[in-house]
Structure formats: structure tokens, C-alpha cells
Amino acid sequence: MPASTSNGLPLVQFQSAPETIDLSWGHPDPASLPVTEWAEASGGALRRYGGSALAYGYANGPGPLVEWLSQRLGRTDGGAPDARRIFVTAGASHALELVAALLCRRGDTVLVDAPTYHLAFRMLADHGVTLVPTPSDSDGILPAATGELVERLRREGRRVPLLYLVPTFGNPTGRSLAQARRTELVAVAERTGLVLVEDDTYRELAYDAPAPPSLYSHAEDGVVIRLGSFSKTVAPGLRLGWLTAAPALVTALARRGYVDSGGGVNHATALSMAEFARLGSYERHLERMRIRYRAQRDALVAAVRQHLPDIEFTVPAGGWFLWLRLPESLRAWALLPYAEANGVSYLPGTHFFVTATGDAYLRLSFSLFAPDLLAEGARRLASAVAESTS
């Protein structure tokens, strides 16, 4: 697949250094994406809906996709949100941007899990807020301590509108928040009036057992806003996702000026996705990807255990990432030049915290490379460790 056009202009976001096994990027292998099936679905949507597929779309998202999303979420998460609670977006990043624009004011304090998805920090900070990490331990966020933090910040006169987290197969850790903590965190949010923004983009990438129920499924209207995306399950280039929230928030989004002007987001792509699902292509492709990612996870896990026996990690039950804890003698940033000299790369753990911490960790993504290359990447990383400590 070419990385640029004939005149040299870039074509795609990801371009790794030549001969480098770059495990830092959470991207799918382009060769695994459903090009033929998507072409069939896109053509089918045009035949089915005619010119309406290319018109301005309904503000909340076209009916066929909203209806399917409701049914799908009912099967994967117990409880189908009705159409009043669904808003189609241009991916989870767009959904987070919309939520921040609606709920945040310049000068607010926004809580973020520690660690969590690093690029969310920038999207939130774009709105002039201060980011504060939640209390956490090796099993994730500590709900009671988080509630105490919210109350302390508010006593200081700070407005704290929301908390962002990825509680299911999280980025970067791959872990899922335990059921007891989910229940307690929702109760804390209900008591304090804090809105939980639940990034649920990895829910369908479960390899060992079904994903745990979402925070959204535990909560009353208005407590949780859940973000979803087809970037991980189908293809990131679609720029298509959704959010589920209380009807009042969905209505507020649908009434924003850019929707009034341009109609629903990514309307033609949304109708193609509805057709992709109607044809059974979504289910077939998702199952192929689960099999693929499970094999890639297992290959990287086995290779890390073989070549880096002193590295601590927990095998993720879903998602795309392995979160490694380094021995006391190693630090992620110091190790990185040795790794890249050996033809492998990763993201140091400091990326995933808003405070100066995390250098004892690094994140490896297993989504992009085949099992043999993942194994070779672990071997190269072991060589880097040996060189850095010699």
C-alpha cells in the first residue's frame, strides 16, 4: 500500500522508519481492512438509498445506522439505548471534542484516569482546562478517593465537570476496571454530579470472554456519556463513531450550529456502515479481526516471556496493547535510543500520565504486525535491554 501519492504528498498518517518494527502505533494492518466488503456495502447503500445517501443527513445520524446501533449495543452490553440517546459522530475523537465543547469552560478542572489514552489529553486541553489525574492503583481508578478529590477541588472553588477514562480493555494498560469499582464509581458520580466520559472503543475486541458491562449500562441518564467507534472494529479511515447519552445532551449536540448548517456527520459513510452491517459483513470481519488480534497478542506475550523474563505485565483480555513494567535498573526513555538502534520502537509510559511519572512503564501495540514480526520485535527489545545495562 503506497504511503504517498505520485507527487510525493502523504497518503496516510502512519509511516514508520524503514526496517523498524514500530510497536508504538495503535493502528490496524492496512492489509487486514475490509476493502472488498466495504466497496460492496458502499455500492449497496447508493443503490438502496439513491440520492438520499448523498444529501444532507439527519442531525442525530441516519435512521438505519441508529437502529442497528441500538440493537447491537443491546446485544453487546445489555440494554439497547433508544434513538433519543444515540448521536453519530466522526469517530470517538470527534465525540470527545463535542462533549468537551458542550460541557467544559475555560479554566475548568477535568479529571483523567492515570494512566489513560494520551491523545485525549490534547483534545481536552484544547478547551483551556487543567487536567488532574485521578487516584489509582495497579487495578485502576480508586472511586472513593476520586470522590474525595472532586469534593476537595470544588471546595477550592474549582469547577470539575467531567472525568475521562477507558475502563474496558484500556489504552495503554489493556486492563478492565473490576465490576465492584465500576458500580462504586457510578455511585460517586451520581453523588457528586460528576459526568463520566467513558471511552468504550475496545469493547468488541474481546478475546477470552465477553467484555464487562459498561459504566453507561449501570447509570441513570446524565451520569455517563459513552463514546464508541468503528475505527478499531472496521477501519479508522471511515472516521465514524457514536456516543450514547441522556436525550437532553443528544438534543443539545443536534442543535449545534455546525449540525444545523451541515446536517448529520459523515452521512454517506454512516449509511454504508448500515449496509455493511445488514449484509453480515460487520460480524464476519469482526470475527476475523478477533482471531487475528488474539494470535498477535499471544505471539507478543510469548515472545516477551521468552526474551524478557524480568519484565512484569498482565495479559490483556482484549484491546490492542501490552503494558510492561520495567525492572528498577531500567527506564523507558533511557532505553528508547537503544531500542530504536536495534530496529524496534515503543511508547514510554510517561505519555499516558498528565504528571511527571510513568517512566517505569512502556506500551507495546500488537495490532499492526504479524506474529513473526511481533516475536522479532520482542527479541530486538531484549537486545536493547542487554546493551543498555552492559
Side-chain angles (χ1 to χ4, degrees):
M1 177 178 174
S4 62
T5 61
S6 58
N7 60 7
L9 296 176
L11 184 64
V12 296
Q13 182 185 43
F14 171 74
Q15 297 184 52
S16 61
E19 308 304 320
T20 296
I21 301 173
D22 194 340
L23 304 179
S24 63
W25 289 81
H27 286 215
D29 179 358
S32 72
L33 301 180
V35 174
T36 301
E37 296 96 326
W38 188 259
E40 180 183 1
S42 296
L46 289 170
R47 290 188 294 272
R48 181 175 297 276
Y49 302 109
S52 294
L54 301 178
Y56 289 108
Y58 180 64
N60 296 44
L65 181 61
V66 169
E67 182 179 14
W68 179 80
L69 277 170
S70 175
Q71 295 168 355
R72 182 74 187 178
L73 292 169
R75 291 198 300 273
T76 61
D77 194 33
D82 61 42
R84 299 174 304 139
R85 291 172 168 81
I86 297 174
F87 187 85
V88 174
T89 69
S93 296
H94 179 234
L96 179 58
E97 171 67 21
L98 291 176
V99 169
L102 200 62
L103 299 186
C104 295
R105 305 173 190 165
R106 186 165 294 275
D108 281 355
T109 296
V110 168
L111 303 185
V112 292
D113 199 3
T116 196
Y117 175 48
H118 60 306
L119 297 180
F121 301 156
R122 171 111 180 264
M123 287 182 273
L124 293 165
D126 281 348
H127 293 272
V129 303
T130 298
L131 302 179
V132 172
T134 59
S136 63
D137 62 14
S138 59
D139 294 319
I141 192 169
L142 294 165
T146 296
E148 293 168 3
L149 173 62
V150 172
E151 291 168 349
R152 177 174 63 79
L153 291 169
R154 287 177 175 167
R155 284 196 302 269
E156 295 172 0
R158 299 165 77 173
R159 186 174 179 271
V160 188
L162 61 87
L163 185 166
Y164 169 85
L165 73 166
V166 190
T168 303
F169 309 139
N171 180 358
T173 66
R175 71 189 172 207
S176 294
L177 194 64
Q179 184 59 54
R181 293 197 187 188
R182 289 171 184 256
T183 302
E184 187 180 358
L185 183 60
V186 168
V188 166
E190 290 173 345
R191 175 172 57 80
T192 61
L194 184 71
V195 175
L196 303 177
V197 179
E198 176 182 22
D199 190 333
D200 204 27
T201 52
Y202 298 97
R203 166 162 301 278
E204 297 246 48
L205 298 183
Y207 311 131
D208 304 324
S214 67
L215 302 177
Y216 180 85
S217 68
H218 289 292
E220 299 295 326
D221 266 351
V223 177
V224 179
I225 300 169
R226 172 177 51 183
L227 317 182
S229 175
F230 292 108
S231 293
K232 310 301 186 290
T233 55
V234 183
L238 303 180
R239 304 315 309 138
L240 188 68
W242 68 92
L243 63 79
T244 56
L249 185 133
V250 171
T251 298
L253 290 174
R255 289 177 175 171
R256 291 182 69 81
Y258 86 94
V259 178
D260 188 32
S261 171
V265 176
N266 251 351
H267 176 65
T269 302
L271 284 173
S272 295
M273 177 58 69
E275 185 70 4
F276 189 75
R278 190 191 70 81
L279 294 171
S281 300
Y282 178 83
E283 287 277 13
R284 291 190 295 271
H285 177 70
L286 178 60
E287 185 54 31
R288 289 195 300 268
M289 299 312 292
R290 283 182 181 138
I291 293 169
R292 183 188 188 99
Y293 291 143
R294 184 187 297 114
Q296 291 171 197
R297 176 201 65 176
D298 292 348
L300 184 58
V301 164
V304 171
R305 284 174 171 166
Q306 177 185 354
H307 299 295
L308 295 157
D310 296 330
I311 298 287
E312 297 178 7
F313 65 94
T314 300
V315 179
W320 278 357
F321 307 108
L322 210 59
W323 182 240
L324 306 187
R325 182 181 178 88
L326 298 170
E328 287 296 325
S329 60
L330 293 172
R331 285 298 176 262
W333 276 108
L335 177 62
L336 187 59
Y338 293 92
E340 292 183 340
N342 276 274
V344 66
S345 193
Y346 56 80
L347 277 185
T350 50
H351 284 275
F352 304 96
F353 295 85
V354 294
T355 55
T357 188
D359 204 25
Y361 296 90
L362 59 87
R363 190 197 76 177
L364 304 180
S365 172
F366 53 81
S367 60
L368 181 60
F369 294 103
D372 60 332
L373 287 175
L374 292 168
E376 173 63 13
R379 190 198 65 76
R380 294 181 184 184
L381 184 58
S383 296
V385 168
E387 289 178 12
S388 71
T389 55
S390 63

